[in-house]
Amino acid sequence: MRRLLAAVACALIPMSACAAPAAPPAKPTAAAPTAGVSSAVAPAVAPTAPAAARPVTTLKLATLRPAADAGIFIALERGYYQEEGIELEMAQVDVGAQTIGFLASGQIDVGGGGQSPALINAVQRGINVKGVVDKGSFPPGFGSTAILVRQDLADAGVIRDYPDLRGHTIATPAVGSTAHMAVMKALERGGLRHTDVDHVNLPFPDQPQALANRNIELGATVEPFITFAVEQGIATRWKGADEIYPGQQGALLMYGPNLLQNQPELGRAFMVAYLRGVRDYNDATRKGINRPEIFAMLAKNLTVKDVALWERMVPTGLNPDGRINVDTIREDIERWIDLGMLKPEDRIDPGQVVDHEFVDFALSRLGLYQP
C-alpha cells in the first residue's frame, strides 16, 4: 500500500509541492505510447472541422498524468486537438522546476507546474515563461487539498477552529508548497504565525502512516490520500483548501517562447482544445453530465486507476473559463518573502508571470462557461 501511495502522490498535486527546485534538467524523454495517449485516438464527438482540412502541427507537452491534467486527456480522448490540427507529443519530467527549464530551452511547448518561487525567480531572470491557464485551483466544492486531524484528536474536539492550531504538529510536503500556503492561510485566519505550530516536511504518501503512528497531529494532504485516511479511520477531514483559501491557485499550465513568440497561433489552437476538455470535466463533476464516461477516461489515462475511487474523491478544481487567480499569487508572494524564499526586491506584479491572451482567444470562440 505504501509503495502504491508513493507512486501516485506527486502526480496528483502541483509539481512544486513535491520537491524543491531540481538541478538543471536533462533532455526530456518521450513517454512510451499508451492507450489514450496516441494522437490517433478517434474523436468521441463530431469534429467542428475535418482534421484533414488543417495542417497537422506537433506540439510537445510534458506531463506526470496528475488528476489536474484531466482537461488535457479528456480533450485528447475526444479528439479536440485533432480538430485544431494538433498532434500531441508527450514528454516526461520529474518536477516543476524542470518544466521551466525545458520550456525556456524550447525542448517542450507546454508544461504544468505549481505557482511557486521558482516561476517568480525565472521571470525575474528574464526567462520567457508564462502561466497561461489554470491547472488546479480550489473553488467551493473542489477542496482536493485538505487538512486532516488525527482521529483521536478529532474525537476529543481538540481542533475546532483556526486558533486551536496553535502548538500542534502539522505536516506539509515542503515549505512554500501549495499545501503549505493553505496552512499559512489557516494560521492567519486564527491570528497565528508560521512559528506558532511545529512544521514537519513529509511527503503526501507518508502522512497517513505518520498520523496512524501518532508521529504527527495534523497533515495537509491531497486526494486520494484524504479519502484513504478517512475511510481507514486514521483521521478526520477538518477543512478543505476551498474553505481555508477559496480560489487558491495551485497549479498552472505554462508556455515557453515556442508558443509565446514563435507560434502563438498554435498556442491559441491548443487553448481552445484544452478548455473544451476542461469544460467536459466540469460538466461531469458539477452537473453529472457523462460522469461515468469521463471518470473512465480519467482512470484510463491518469494515475488513479480505480473509477470507483474517482467517484469518492473530492475533485480537483479546473476553471472552465481558464483564468488564473492572480490575487492569490500576489498573496503567496508575500508569504514566500515572509518565509525568506524570496527577497523583498523580488516582489513583482503577478501580471508579469501570467499571460491571459490565449485564454481570451479561446473564450472569443467558445464563450463563457454556462454553470
Side-chain angles (χ1 to χ4, degrees):
M1 175 61 74
R2 185 175 231 172
R3 286 196 296 272
L4 173 62
L5 294 174
V8 301
C10 286
L12 292 165
I13 59 171
M15 296 180 202
S16 68
C18 295
K27 183 177 180 180
T29 57
T34 59
V37 174
S38 169
S39 61
V41 173
V45 295
T48 56
R54 299 174 183 265
V56 176
T57 304
T58 298
L59 183 146
K60 293 173 287 186
L61 181 146
T63 177
L64 284 173
R65 299 173 183 267
D69 276 359
I72 292 172
F73 285 94
I74 293 169
L76 185 63
E77 285 279 337
R78 291 196 153 177
Y80 298 157
Y81 301 116
Q82 289 176 319
E83 294 175 26
E84 298 297 326
I86 294 172
E87 179 177 353
L88 285 187
E89 178 183 311
M90 299 288 180
Q92 184 72 33
V93 296
D94 296 323
V95 294
Q98 286 187 325
T99 300
I100 293 171
F102 290 148
L103 287 166
S105 64
Q107 294 179 72
I108 60 173
D109 302 307
V110 183
Q115 57 105 355
S116 67
L119 179 57
I120 304 300
N121 284 326
V123 172
Q124 287 282 49
R125 297 196 307 271
I127 295 175
N128 192 16
V129 174
K130 302 284 187 182
V132 293
V133 66
D134 168 62
K135 196 184 79 78
S137 51
F138 303 103
F142 289 82
S144 57
T145 291
I147 295 178
L148 296 177
V149 177
R150 203 173 68 202
Q151 194 61 51
D152 62 311
L153 300 179
D155 291 343
V158 172
I159 308 293
R160 296 183 183 275
D161 204 353
Y162 296 107
D164 299 331
L165 296 172
R166 184 189 298 273
H168 290 286
T169 301
I170 184 165
T172 60
V175 174
S177 64
T178 297
H180 187 231
M181 292 297 96
V183 170
M184 292 279 285
K185 185 73 168 185
L187 295 173
E188 291 163 14
R189 286 181 173 274
L192 306 176
R193 292 185 54 78
H194 184 258
T195 52
D196 288 323
V197 297
D198 294 325
H199 294 271
V200 175
N201 290 343
L202 198 62
F204 291 135
D206 293 340
Q207 290 189 29
Q209 190 64 50
L211 287 162
N213 292 341
R214 300 195 175 191
N215 293 329
I216 58 173
E217 296 171 302
L218 301 99
T221 190
V222 298
E223 293 287 11
F225 306 109
I226 297 166
T227 296
F228 170 78
V230 171
E231 291 181 350
Q232 294 295 314
I234 294 169
T236 291
R237 178 190 173 100
W238 181 56
K239 291 183 185 294
D242 59 326
E243 303 169 77
I244 298 166
Y245 198 174
Q248 178 190 12
Q249 191 63 53
L252 319 166
L253 273 182
M254 297 175 284
Y255 285 0
N258 281 356
L259 300 184
L260 293 173
Q261 292 177 319
N262 303 332
Q263 294 181 287
E265 69 287 347
L266 180 60
R268 297 183 190 107
F270 173 85
M271 191 64 69
V272 171
Y274 172 70
L275 279 188
R276 289 180 69 190
V278 168
R279 290 179 176 202
D280 289 350
Y281 171 82
N282 276 273
D283 283 348
T285 55
R286 293 174 183 264
K287 306 174 185 178
I289 298 173
N290 297 323
R291 186 179 177 100
E293 175 193 352
I294 293 297
F295 282 179
M297 288 180 189
L298 300 183
K300 175 183 176 182
N301 288 288
L302 302 180
T303 52
V304 175
K305 298 301 183 183
D306 184 353
V307 175
L309 184 53
W310 279 99
E311 288 284 358
R312 302 198 306 276
M313 294 190 315
V314 175
T316 298
L318 295 173
N319 185 346
D321 290 326
R323 297 186 74 82
I324 294 165
N325 190 332
V326 295
D327 289 337
T328 69
I329 297 179
R330 184 176 290 108
E331 278 193 44
D332 286 344
I333 288 173
E334 296 305 315
R335 295 186 182 99
W336 293 326
I337 291 172
D338 187 50
L339 292 167
M341 302 184 74
L342 290 175
K343 297 177 181 178
E345 56 267 29
D346 293 331
R347 183 184 286 110
I348 61 174
D349 189 296
Q352 293 178 247
V353 299
V354 171
D355 185 346
H356 279 138
E357 172 197 344
F358 301 92
V359 163
D360 290 341
F361 173 83
L363 294 178
S364 75
R365 279 186 52 182
L366 301 175
L368 295 175
Y369 181 72
Q370 300 303 310

